[in-house]
Amino acid sequence: DKEWNAPESAKKVTNPVPSNEVSIAAGKKIYIKECLSCHGKKGKGDGPSIATLEKSPGDLTLQKVQLHTDGELFWKISEGRKPMPSTKKALTEEQRWQVVNYVRTLKK
């Protein structure tokens, strides 16, 4: 399937939330509630809901994902792409940045 690329403008957006124990812990709580069912406990795209999806969720531990800028990850988390929902209404901007900080801890 087609590469999912964030717009150039998103690449340059810097993360205003410092990556520290507090923001990572908050991001993990949100991840468990909002993301784990598809992306799985360790972010490998093997969550319990994958059987119901028409395509497999991304493996967040892959280098190609981890090489995205924080801005690109934030954009993807915000926008979503079927079957992944947009989180703009469900999560505040700060919460979405916290998830970015947590996703950074999932690399191999």
Side-chain angles (χ1 to χ4, degrees):
D1 72 308
K2 223 162 89 14
E3 270 306 306
W4 185 24
N5 296 313
E8 279 301 313
S9 57
K11 290 182 183 179
K12 297 173 181 74
V13 178
T14 55
N15 187 339
V17 177
S19 181
N20 56 32
E21 277 182 43
V22 175
S23 74
I24 290 169
K28 182 177 184 173
K29 268 194 187 126
I30 298 159
Y31 178 91
I32 289 168
K33 185 172 174 279
E34 302 289 333
C35 319
L36 184 144
S37 66
C38 297
H39 286 286
K41 198 174 168 86
K42 293 194 163 84
K44 294 193 177 294
D46 58 357
S49 299
I50 62 166
T52 65
L53 302 175
E54 67 266 16
K55 66 180 193 189
S56 63
D59 180 341
L60 304 175
T61 69
L62 293 176
Q63 186 179 14
K64 73 173 190 175
V65 175
Q66 292 291 332
L67 286 173
H68 287 329
T69 67
D70 282 1
E72 288 174 288
L73 292 176
F74 179 82
W75 183 86
K76 289 183 175 192
I77 291 166
S78 300
E79 296 297 322
R81 181 174 84 161
K82 285 199 179 308
M84 181 175 147
S86 162
T87 61
K88 282 182 189 163
K89 289 186 173 76
L91 302 174
T92 65
E93 254 189 57
E94 183 182 26
Q95 288 174 316
R96 286 178 268 151
W97 284 116
Q98 290 168 335
V99 172
V100 170
N101 290 342
Y102 176 68
V103 165
R104 291 290 181 210
T105 70
L106 298 173
K107 58 181 161 275
K108 286 185 172 34

